[in-house]
């Protein structure tokens, strides 16, 4: 009983520390963003403490309404975050749909590999896929696709932008699915 109450107090203290850090961080960012403009007169209107306090108040009011950047890009940041979250979930869903068949197929190939050199090469590739972080895999795939595309004089994949088509999904899905497929292949 004593141990669980100690854990509860420790959890509450950690949550309080997290909340204080979050509030302190928001206040620090607010100070850093608005203080130079207020005191260096870059507002194009009256500068000083009054302008600073007015802008900080407006920013904090917008922050409470979910506008995390004061409409810096002409729209609410919360809407941009929701759009990014939706796109990320779409990309993860496509990656998961690729991981299962590729991982199971790779696992079957690993299990069926009989010639010793072939089995060693396949297990080595699997170990590399497990060890390689996704962001490194993406950079290597991107560099390879761009270099090959330049040599062939054709654009193989989209290197920027967003779309649910093969050109836009090929690199990120491959990078995200590589490690998951290697884990599944090892388990299969």
């Amino acid at each position: 009983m004593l141990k669980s109450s100690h854990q509860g107090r420790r959890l509450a203290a950690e949550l309080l520390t997290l909340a204080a850090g979050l509030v302190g961080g928001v206040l620090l960012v607010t100070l850093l963003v608005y203080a130079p403009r207020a005191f260096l007169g870059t507002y194009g209107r009256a500068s000083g403490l009054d302008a600073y306090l007015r802008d900080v108040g407006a920013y904090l009011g917008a922050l409470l309404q979910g506008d995390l950047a004061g409409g810096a890009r002409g729209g609410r940041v919360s809407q941009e975050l929701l759009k990014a979250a939706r796109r990320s979930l779409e990309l993860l869903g496509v990656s998961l749909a690729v991981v299962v068949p590729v991982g199971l197929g790779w696992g079957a190939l690993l299990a069926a590999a009989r010639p010793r050199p072939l089995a060693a090469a396949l297990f080595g590739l699997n170990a590399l896929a497990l060890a390689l972080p996704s962001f490194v895999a993406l950079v290597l795939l991107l560099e390879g696709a761009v270099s090959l595309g330049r040599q062939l004089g054709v654009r193989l994949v989209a290197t920027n932008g967003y779309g649910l088509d093969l050109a836009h999904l090929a690199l990120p899905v491959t990078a995200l699915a590589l490690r998951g497929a290697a884990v599944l292949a090892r388990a299969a």
Side-chain angles (χ1 to χ4, degrees), residues 97-122:
V98 168
V99 162
V100 174
V102 170
L104 291 175
W106 185 256
L109 187 62
L110 286 172
R114 289 294 168 226
R116 189 124 173 105
L118 177 63
L122 291 175

Side-chain angles (χ1 to χ4, degrees), residues 2-186:
L2 181 63
K3 189 174 181 175
S4 68
S5 68
H6 175 69
Q7 288 174 340
R9 278 186 270 147
R10 184 173 174 187
L11 179 63
E14 288 178 10
L15 289 174
L16 184 62
T17 303
L18 179 66
L22 182 63
V23 169
V26 167
L27 291 176
L28 180 64
V29 167
T30 304
L31 288 172
L32 292 174
V33 167
Y34 291 110
R37 287 190 284 170
F39 296 107
L40 296 177
T42 57
Y43 277 107
R45 59 180 197 274
S47 63
L49 187 59
D50 291 341
Y52 174 72
L53 292 175
R54 182 176 51 252
D55 285 342
V56 167
Y59 173 76
L60 292 175
L63 186 67
L64 291 174
Q65 296 175 2
D67 187 2
L68 304 176
R73 294 194 332 170
R76 295 176 64 106
V77 174
S78 56
Q79 297 301 319
E80 292 293 321
L81 290 174
L82 286 174
K83 184 167 65 171
R86 180 185 56 88
R87 289 179 173 181
S88 294
L89 288 174
E90 290 170 349
L91 179 61
L92 287 174
V94 172
S95 296
L96 183 61
V98 168
V99 162
V100 174
V102 170
L104 291 175
W106 185 256
L109 187 62
L110 286 172
R114 289 294 168 226
R116 189 124 173 105
L118 177 63
L122 291 175
F123 278 101
L125 285 174
N126 198 52
L128 178 66
L130 286 170
L132 198 63
S134 295
F135 69 92
V136 174
L138 181 62
V139 170
L140 293 174
L141 289 168
L142 183 62
E143 179 63 30
V146 169
S147 296
L148 184 62
R150 280 190 184 153
Q151 287 179 352
L152 297 175
V154 65
R155 185 176 176 188
L156 298 175
V157 293
T159 55
N160 62 354
Y162 175 79
L164 288 175
D165 57 309
L166 185 60
H168 284 93
L169 290 174
L171 290 178
V173 165
T174 303
L176 289 173
L178 187 65
R179 186 179 176 98
V183 169
L184 189 58
R186 194 169 83 177

